[in-house]
């Protein structure tokens, strides 16, 4: 491209003379414009309007000149007319015009770069749209393609995470009684996928979001939908680029790598523009799917940071640095995980927690209609499922809903009496495929059965290794040949390596891998190592929750009905392993129900086994059912009701703390609540309708409840008035725990009148309400002596009462990791025990300090260590009181 400034410099340099010395060839701007008139007409045509506007703005030409050029037809003619005008204005104007011409060159280069950038954005969107446009079902045939927009059903997303955000401060208790000293539940809110990063209540828009949900609930499909919609300009228009990663793929990285190279492994088309992307990280969204499948999640401690996209580092450090904002500060991150792995995520980096709660009944029906693409057939199949309560509850989880549809499609309906559980569905799906693939040849059945065993062995070994991806040599090691049967369960992905393209395999869904692992355990006479062995679990770092689904499948596969079903296709040694498993399961449930440990997954195993005679083996002295600290879905409540229907014994205690119950669920559980002596409903957002359900129970003459816990349920004066009215004539309730709520003296004072008609109620714990000092005095100095001991608004010197509470706190602290421990104890001391001088505190504080010193010595995270040390100083002050 010709430039007047450049030509003048070349002429002077070419003469070999000083720029201002004697003999320098001076070329005027007018001469340059005249000599290069033809070039200018060719080059300035596409920029003439911009040049004309700039010339008028700096008064290089008059308004009349501007109009003379503006209305000339054709850009080339406009350039000629403008050059004629400049030529008539003399050397000074010509020189200014040449300077303006050089400016247009810079603007053009910037425009070109900008056009290239937006062309790349468009290309990247096309790539991501193509990658995410199709959904894969478990029975998808080769070449079959189901478009995302044809099948995607909205999932219910709830703001607030039950395992972290709502349980950030742990529960407190003494003995079997519990004081809930936790922050009020964050308001939950239904949100749509496109609203994930929206600003709420004038707060800063979140940049780091964690989406959690149980296996098969739809986390991966949700992200697929988000990326597909972004690529088609339907959401998240504040992001110019989206980078999509799965931890399944990231598990293939076995050496240090830079973030740049990590991106380029699957996005080579971005190579030329990554610098531009890195310069504006606030316009970048990084999606990380399936943290629970990350083989390094257990060692995700973040000892070092990666701050430069070109700096090589270990994969956990890169991911940790992204979450911390040390790498690409300002970039947004969307992370998904099963709840079992979230304790390893640095929760202080997360701005918003979102729970995927699956389908509603309406959405299940919509899924059926879309799946069958025939309204009459879809409605008939949905009605078939709706008539089976257990089968319907399975469909609230989208992955199970898909498998139910595929089994119904294969079998054209099925025996509803024999299909009740998750294992039943998977088993029937498997047997349908076994029957289909065994037909072509006489030895087909034996061949397919052997492939089944080989798949199980692969699934089992990889589950032990925390791996979901494997290579061709893994298939060969387990004698697995690729064919239509194997392809029904395995995905094959091609990955570009430095020297070649390599095939990487995985089961179509993690639950499929867990099912096959359980099947291997059932089929193998002596599986090694034994996943039911405690030492094996500890050795392979299979922490709490990791094997939950495996155990459920194992229990279902060892049931008589599924043993009978599977034995038609594969040889089973039914008796020995089933009997030993039943003994183990009944023993574990007995122990949990005696000591009040969380029993939810064991109850799922019991439900999967569907053996009512097991009730005779569960012999507890007293029945304490604890399923708290889980955001329960309809399947979970069905499992609870199945267990309670067994009538194993008198229900001493039912713990529904932080389970997402509401008035409808309480109404559904009413027949079982009549049996209960101690009921904990704390840390659930309960409205007036929910309290009225509980009040109906309190008014019932056959209700034998002795203790009711309603701490941190967001109830206020209206709800307390309902409780007061219900308690006037109640003859059983002895203790009521309603701490950490929103009532004031107006609502609480109603309890002072209760002793006049109710002589049974002994204690109403009201710590943490909106009471002023004068209100507390009025409540404790009531003329009726019984009133003053009934209402408890603060801690006391009563060692018998608070000693058990202290012991339980120590027990809870020992179970917490250090990060949770800090939040837990800060809450207690700052909000409740500050300025307290109870006589039981010094000894208790000394025990806490001993625990903290151990944690400080072991802590490797500097910021947590500092918090532990500061907390230790705070507690030391209480020791001196």
């Amino acid at each position: 491209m010709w430039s007047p400034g450049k030509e003048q410099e070349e002429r002077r340099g070419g003469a070999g003379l000083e720029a201002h010395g004697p003999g320098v060839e001076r070329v005027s701007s007018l001469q340059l414009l005249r000599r290069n008139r033809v070039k200018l007409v060719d080059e300035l045509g596409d920029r003439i309007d911009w040049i004309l506007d700039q010339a008028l703005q700096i008064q290089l030409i008059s308004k009349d000149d501007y109009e003379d050029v503006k209305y000339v037809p054709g850009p080339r003619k406009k350039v000629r007319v403008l050059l004629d005008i400049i030529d008539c204005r003399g050397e000074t104007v010509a020189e200014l015009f040449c300077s303006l011409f050089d400016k247009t060159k810079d603007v053009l280069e910037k425009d070109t770069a900008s056009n290239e950038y937006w062309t790349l954005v468009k290309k990247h969107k096309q790539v991501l749209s193509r990658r995410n446009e199709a959904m894969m079902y478990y029975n998808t045939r080769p070449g079959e393609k189901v478009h995302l927009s044809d099948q995607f059903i909205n999932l219910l997303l709830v703001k607030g995470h039950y395992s972290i955000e709502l349980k950030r401060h742990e529960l407190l208790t003494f003995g079997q009684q519990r004081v809930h000293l936790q922050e009020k539940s964050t308001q939950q809110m239904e949100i749509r996928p496109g609203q994930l990063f929206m600003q709420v209540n004038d707060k800063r828009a979140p940049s780091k979001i964690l989406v959690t949900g149980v296996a098969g609930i739809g986390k991966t499909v949700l992200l697929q939908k988000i990326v597909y919609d972004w690529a088609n300009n339907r959401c998240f228009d504040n992001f110019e680029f989206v980078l999509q990663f799965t931890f399944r793929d990231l598990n293939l990285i076995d050496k240090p790598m830079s973030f740049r190279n990590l991106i380029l492994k699957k996005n080579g088309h971005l190579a030329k523009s990554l610098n531009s992307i890195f310069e504006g990280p606030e316009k970048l969204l990084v999606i990380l799917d399936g943290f629970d499948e990350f083989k390094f999640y257990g060692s995700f401690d973040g000892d070092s940071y990666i701050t430069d996209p070109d700096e090589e580092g270990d994969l956990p450090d890169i991911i940790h640095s992204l979450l911390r904002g040390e790498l690409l500060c300002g970039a947004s991150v969307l992370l998904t995980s099963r709840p079992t792995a979230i304790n390893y995520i640095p929760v202080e980096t997360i701005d918003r927690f979102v729970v995927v709660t699956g389908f509603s009944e309406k959405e299940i029906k919509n899924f059926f209609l879309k799946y069958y693409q025939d309204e009459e057939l879809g409605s008939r199949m949905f009605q078939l499922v709706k008539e089976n309560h257990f089968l319907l509850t399975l469909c609230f989880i989208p992955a199970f809903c898909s498998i139910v549809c595929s089994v119904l499609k294969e079998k054209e309906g099925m025996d509803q009496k024999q299909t009740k559980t998750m294992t039943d569905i998977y088993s029937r799906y498997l047997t349908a495929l076994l029957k289909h693939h065994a037909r072509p040849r006489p030895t087909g059945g034996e061949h397919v059965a052997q492939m089944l065993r080989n798949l199980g062995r692969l699934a089992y070994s990889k589950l032990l290794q925390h791996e979901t991806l494997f290579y061709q040599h893994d298939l060969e090691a387990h004698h697995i040949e690729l064919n239509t049967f194997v392809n029904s369960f395995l995905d094959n992905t091609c990955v570009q390596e430095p020297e070649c393209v390599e095939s990487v395999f995985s089961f179509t869904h993690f639950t499929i891998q867990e099912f096959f692992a359980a099947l291997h355990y059932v089929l193998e006479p002596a599986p090694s190592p034994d996943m039911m062995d405690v030492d094996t679990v500890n050795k392979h770092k299979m922490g709490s929750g990791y094997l939950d689904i495996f155990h459920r499948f194992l229990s279902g596969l060892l049931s008589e009905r599924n043993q009978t079903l599977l034995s038609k296709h594969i040889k089973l040694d039914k008796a020995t392993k089933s009997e030993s498993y039943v003994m183990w399961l009944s023993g574990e449930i007995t122990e949990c129900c005696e000591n009040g440990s969380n029993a939810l997954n064991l109850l799922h195993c019991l439900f999967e086994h569907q053996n009512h005679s097991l009730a005779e083996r569960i012999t507890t002295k007293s029945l304490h059912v604890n399923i708290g600290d889980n955001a329960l879905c309809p399947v979970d409540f069905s499992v609870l009701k199945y267990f309670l229907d067994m009538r194993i014994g008198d229900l001493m205690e039912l713990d529904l703390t932080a389970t997402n119950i509401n008035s409808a669920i309480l109404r559904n559980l009413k027949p079982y609540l009549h049996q209960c002596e101690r009921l904990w409903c704390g840390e659930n957002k309960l409205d007036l309708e929910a309290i009225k359900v509980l009040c109906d129970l309190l008014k019932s003459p056959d209700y034998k409840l002795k203790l009711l816990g309603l701490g941190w349920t967001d109830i206020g004066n209206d709800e307390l008035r309902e409780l007061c009215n219900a308690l006037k004539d109640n003859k059983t309730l002895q203790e009521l725990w309603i701490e950490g709520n929103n009532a004031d003296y107006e609502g609480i004072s109603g309890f002072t009148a209760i002793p006049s008609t109710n002589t049974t109620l002994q204690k109403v714990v009201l710590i943490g309400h909106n009471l002023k000092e004068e209100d507390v005095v009025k409540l404790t100095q009531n003329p009726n002596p019984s009133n003053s001991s009934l209402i408890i608004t603060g801690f006391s010197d009563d060692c018998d009462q608070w000693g058990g509470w202290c012991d339980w706190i120590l027990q809870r602290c020992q179970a917490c990791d250090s990060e949770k421990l800090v939040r837990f104890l800060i809450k207690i001391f700052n909000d409740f025990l500050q300025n307290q001088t109870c006589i039981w505190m010094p000894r208790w504080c000394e025990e806490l300090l001993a625990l903290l010193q151990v944690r400080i010595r072991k802590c490797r995270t500097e910021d947590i260590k500092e918090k532990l040390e500061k907390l230790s100083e705070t507690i030391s002050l209480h020791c001196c009181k």
Side-chain angles (χ1 to χ4, degrees):
M1 182 181 291
W2 178 79
S3 167
K6 182 178 180 182
E7 182 166 330
Q8 284 183 332
E9 291 299 322
E10 287 175 351
R11 284 180 177 278
R12 290 170 182 168
L17 300 172
E18 292 292 331
H20 299 290
V24 171
E25 180 188 358
R26 304 191 64 83
V27 180
S28 71
S29 296
L30 274 174
Q31 287 176 312
L32 286 173
L33 293 177
R34 289 167 183 166
R35 290 176 184 176
N36 293 280
R37 183 181 177 91
V38 175
K39 288 183 180 179
L40 288 171
V41 171
D42 289 337
E43 293 181 8
L44 296 187
D46 57 348
R47 290 175 279 160
I48 185 59
D49 290 332
W50 185 88
I51 293 171
L52 198 58
D53 291 339
Q54 292 295 312
L56 177 63
Q57 188 175 334
I58 63 176
Q59 298 181 345
L60 197 63
I61 58 176
S62 66
K63 288 184 179 180
D64 291 338
D65 295 333
Y66 178 86
E67 290 178 358
D68 287 344
V69 179
K70 187 72 174 176
Y71 298 108
V72 170
R76 294 172 65 85
K77 288 184 179 180
K78 286 182 181 179
V79 175
R80 293 191 186 99
V81 173
L82 179 60
L83 289 175
D84 290 341
I85 292 172
I86 299 299
D87 192 74
C88 296
R89 295 287 190 271
E91 176 62 22
T92 302
V93 173
E95 188 171 347
L96 288 173
F97 181 79
C98 287
S99 299
L100 179 61
F101 180 83
D102 283 337
K103 286 182 182 179
T104 68
K105 178 173 173 287
D106 294 336
V107 171
L108 180 62
E109 288 175 354
K110 290 180 181 178
D111 286 345
T112 302
S114 178
N115 289 336
E116 289 176 356
Y117 180 82
W118 289 110
T119 299
L120 183 64
V121 170
K122 184 178 179 180
K123 180 178 179 180
H124 185 58
K125 287 187 173 185
Q126 290 171 345
V127 169
L128 292 188
S129 179
R130 185 176 65 252
R131 289 177 182 173
N132 291 278
E133 66 182 359
M135 293 175 69
M136 293 297 294
Y137 283 114
Y138 304 102
N139 61 340
T140 302
R141 296 176 177 84
E144 186 177 1
K145 191 173 184 180
V146 181
H147 202 279
L148 184 71
S149 60
D150 293 336
Q151 291 290 313
F152 184 81
I153 301 294
N154 280 327
L155 297 162
L156 180 62
L157 308 179
V158 181
K159 181 176 174 289
H161 193 280
Y162 300 106
S163 297
I164 297 180
E165 192 168 88
L166 302 186
K167 291 296 298 171
R168 188 167 286 202
H169 305 287
E170 302 292 343
L171 305 176
L172 309 180
T173 191
F174 53 97
Q176 292 299 324
Q177 304 165 342
R178 209 165 275 181
V179 183
H180 306 289
L181 301 181
Q182 185 195 12
E183 291 180 335
K184 298 171 189 175
S185 299
T186 304
Q187 182 180 4
Q188 296 159 24
M189 176 184 64
E190 289 186 27
I191 54 178
R192 294 189 176 278
Q195 298 173 316
L196 281 173
F197 287 92
M198 71 179 181
Q199 184 177 349
V200 178
N201 298 332
D202 297 325
K203 293 181 180 179
R204 181 175 61 89
S207 63
K208 306 293 189 300
I209 294 179
L210 172 62
V211 176
T212 66
V214 298
I217 201 72
K219 302 182 293 296
T220 296
V221 176
L222 170 67
L223 293 194
Q224 187 181 354
K225 173 67 171 172
I226 286 171
V227 175
Y228 181 77
D229 282 352
W230 174 80
N232 289 277
N233 304 312
R234 296 172 188 165
C235 72
F236 294 164
D237 53 5
N238 53 314
F239 296 118
E240 290 178 2
F241 271 94
V242 171
L243 299 175
Q244 185 181 16
F245 300 96
T246 70
F247 282 99
R248 279 191 174 194
D249 289 339
L250 295 178
N251 283 338
L252 298 171
I253 309 298
D254 55 3
K255 60 184 179 181
M257 181 175 288
S258 70
F259 187 58
R260 182 189 295 273
N261 289 334
L262 200 63
I263 295 169
L264 293 178
K265 281 183 75 69
K266 276 201 167 183
N267 301 279
H269 58 280
L270 298 180
K272 294 182 180 179
S273 293
L274 276 183
N275 287 338
S276 299
I277 296 171
F278 294 154
E279 286 171 4
E282 68 282 351
K283 297 291 185 181
L284 173 64
L285 170 61
V286 180
I287 289 179
L288 300 165
D289 184 29
F291 179 77
D292 53 284
E293 298 179 24
F294 190 26
K295 64 182 179 181
F296 299 117
Y297 82 76
S299 57
F300 196 67
D301 50 17
D303 284 340
S304 60
Y305 294 123
I306 305 297
T307 57
D308 190 313
D310 291 307
E311 179 185 352
E312 287 194 349
D314 293 330
L315 195 55
D317 292 333
I318 292 176
I319 303 302
H320 190 257
S321 299
L322 274 172
L323 290 173
R324 291 279 183 187
E326 300 288 340
L327 177 61
L328 297 180
C329 180
S332 296
V333 178
L334 182 55
L335 178 71
T336 73
S337 175
R338 282 191 192 180
T340 53
I342 56 179
N343 289 336
Y344 296 96
I345 297 170
V347 293
E348 66 276 11
T349 67
I350 304 300
D351 302 318
R352 175 170 291 168
F353 301 91
V354 175
V355 180
V356 184
T357 59
F359 288 156
S360 65
E361 186 173 321
K362 179 181 178 182
E363 287 160 344
I364 294 172
K365 183 175 182 179
N366 288 339
F367 186 91
F368 270 69
L369 295 177
K370 283 197 170 188
Y371 183 93
Y372 290 104
Q373 298 182 344
D374 181 313
E375 186 170 350
E376 189 277 329
L377 178 61
S379 297
R380 181 162 55 85
M381 291 298 188
F382 172 72
Q383 192 60 36
L384 194 67
V385 168
K386 189 176 180 181
E387 291 170 1
N388 184 318
H389 175 68
F390 295 114
L391 200 54
L392 179 64
T393 55
L394 276 179
C395 289
F396 285 91
I397 297 177
F400 300 156
C401 191
S402 173
I403 290 179
V404 168
C405 285
S406 69
V407 172
L408 287 171
K409 185 177 182 180
E410 182 76 24
K411 304 283 286 184
E412 295 184 0
M414 54 186 166
D415 186 352
Q416 299 296 290
K417 293 180 181 179
Q418 293 297 316
T419 310
K420 296 181 178 180
T421 72
M422 176 176 67
T423 313
D424 293 346
I425 294 294
Y426 277 60
S427 296
R428 275 149 183 76
Y429 176 52
L430 173 62
T431 55
L433 289 172
L434 285 171
K435 187 182 295 184
H436 174 74
H437 288 281
R439 283 174 186 166
R441 49 182 174 169
T443 59
E446 294 178 10
H447 178 70
V448 172
Q450 187 56 51
M451 284 193 291
L452 186 66
R453 290 176 180 272
N454 295 343
L455 279 170
R457 192 178 300 110
L458 172 68
Y460 191 83
S461 64
K462 292 301 178 182
L463 191 64
L464 278 166
Q465 297 167 29
H466 296 257
E467 291 182 3
T468 53
L469 289 174
F470 27 90
Y471 293 91
Q472 182 66 42
H473 63 80
D474 293 307
L475 299 185
E476 293 170 358
H478 291 88
H479 308 290
I480 296 172
E481 303 171 6
L482 294 178
N483 52 45
T484 53
F485 177 76
V486 171
N487 290 339
S488 299
F489 307 106
L490 293 185
D491 276 341
N492 183 356
T493 305
C494 291
V495 176
Q496 179 67 56
E497 296 293 346
E499 299 178 356
C500 64
V501 175
E502 188 160 4
S503 289
V504 178
F505 301 89
S506 66
F507 286 91
T508 51
H509 193 271
F510 195 24
T511 54
I512 298 290
Q513 180 175 344
E514 290 165 305
F515 175 77
F516 271 96
L519 187 62
H520 170 76
Y521 192 93
V522 171
L523 296 174
E524 191 67 29
S528 179
D530 188 344
M531 275 206 230
M532 297 294 291
D533 179 68
V534 175
D535 292 336
T536 299
V537 170
N538 293 333
K539 179 182 177 181
H540 291 273
K541 298 181 180 179
M542 292 180 286
S544 175
Y546 181 70
L547 294 177
D548 281 359
I549 305 297
F550 167 82
H551 279 296
R552 295 180 195 181
F553 280 132
L554 178 59
S555 188
L557 287 169
L558 288 172
S559 67
E560 185 177 350
R561 69 192 184 286
N562 281 319
Q563 292 269 297
T564 302
L565 176 71
L566 292 171
S567 63
K568 296 176 182 178
H569 304 276
I570 46 181
K571 293 180 181 179
L572 294 172
D573 181 15
K574 296 188 282 185
T576 306
K577 197 168 288 185
S578 296
E579 177 59 26
S580 61
Y581 178 80
V582 166
M583 289 179 61
W584 173 85
L585 181 59
S586 58
E588 290 291 308
I589 294 176
T590 298
E591 184 178 347
C592 279
C593 288
E594 282 187 344
N595 62 28
S597 300
N598 194 290
L600 181 60
N601 199 61
L602 290 171
L603 298 188
H604 268 281
C605 293
L606 181 69
F607 175 73
E608 291 290 331
H609 203 70
Q610 288 287 308
N611 182 355
H612 203 78
S613 65
L614 260 173
E616 299 172 3
R617 297 177 181 242
I618 302 171
T619 54
T620 60
K621 295 177 182 178
S622 58
L623 190 61
H624 302 271
V625 181
N626 175 5
I627 59 168
D629 302 339
N630 296 280
L632 303 184
C633 65
V635 179
D636 298 315
F637 287 111
S638 295
V639 166
L640 172 63
K641 290 165 68 176
Y642 173 81
F643 176 67
L644 295 177
D645 277 335
M646 287 185 165
R647 304 286 179 178
I648 289 170
D650 292 335
L651 183 59
M652 298 295 294
E653 181 177 40
L654 177 59
D655 191 342
L656 298 173
T657 302
T659 51
N660 198 30
I661 58 173
N662 53 33
S663 58
I665 291 170
L666 287 172
R667 209 172 282 117
N668 200 324
L669 291 175
K670 242 184 176 184
Y672 309 98
L673 299 182
H674 272 280
Q675 312 167 31
C676 190
E677 290 193 14
R678 288 192 286 268
L679 175 63
W680 298 100
C681 298
E683 299 178 57
N684 293 293
K685 189 175 177 59
L686 301 182
D687 57 13
L688 186 58
E689 286 303 310
I691 297 300
K692 285 181 178 179
V693 174
L694 294 173
C695 288
D696 288 342
L697 290 167
L698 291 171
K699 294 175 184 177
S700 174
D702 60 344
Y703 192 35
K704 54 185 179 182
L705 190 69
K706 293 179 180 178
L707 185 148
L708 176 61
L710 295 171
W712 271 269
T713 49
D714 206 26
I715 59 178
N717 290 343
D718 292 340
E719 289 79 9
L720 288 196
R721 278 191 283 268
E722 285 289 331
L723 284 168
C724 286
N725 290 332
L727 288 169
K728 284 180 182 178
D729 298 315
N730 179 274
K731 303 300 181 186
T732 62
L733 195 70
Q734 298 172 7
E735 298 183 29
L736 177 62
W737 297 78
I738 43 179
E739 69 287 357
N741 283 302
N742 300 321
D744 54 26
Y745 182 77
E746 180 187 349
I748 292 171
S749 60
F751 287 101
T752 60
I754 287 178
S756 61
T757 57
N758 182 331
T759 58
T760 310
L761 190 61
Q762 301 168 9
K763 186 186 299 183
V764 179
V765 180
L766 289 156
I767 301 169
H769 280 259
N770 301 323
L771 290 172
K772 301 174 184 176
E773 287 186 20
E774 55 267 30
D775 296 333
V776 175
V777 171
K778 280 191 250 181
L779 291 170
T780 55
Q781 293 183 350
N782 196 285
N784 188 334
S786 62
N787 293 344
S788 59
S789 61
L790 173 69
I791 300 174
I792 299 173
T793 57
F795 294 99
S796 69
D797 287 332
D798 187 342
C799 293
D800 291 335
Q801 176 169 300
W802 299 107
W805 179 81
C806 295
D807 291 340
W808 195 88
I809 287 179
L810 284 168
Q811 177 188 341
R812 193 70 171 179
C813 288
Q814 289 165 352
C816 288
D817 60 35
S818 294
E819 188 257 342
K820 283 186 178 180
L821 177 64
V822 169
R823 290 196 303 266
F824 177 48
L825 290 178
I826 285 176
K827 176 67 178 175
I828 295 169
F829 281 90
N830 286 359
D831 291 0
F832 291 93
L833 296 179
Q834 199 171 34
N835 303 319
Q836 294 285 333
T837 55
C838 302
I839 61 174
W840 46 265
M841 288 190 63
R843 178 190 64 81
W844 177 61
C845 288
E846 287 175 4
E847 292 175 324
L848 284 176
L849 282 173
L851 173 62
L852 285 173
Q853 291 307 313
V854 173
R855 293 299 182 89
I856 289 169
R857 287 196 299 270
K858 293 182 177 180
C859 187
R860 293 185 296 168
T861 306
E862 198 58 39
D863 60 333
I864 297 296
K865 187 174 182 179
E866 289 178 5
K867 291 176 182 178
L868 286 169
E869 290 171 345
K870 188 174 181 180
L871 181 59
S872 182
E873 293 174 6
T874 301
I875 296 177
S876 296
L877 296 175
H878 287 272
C879 285
C880 300
K881 291 183 180 181

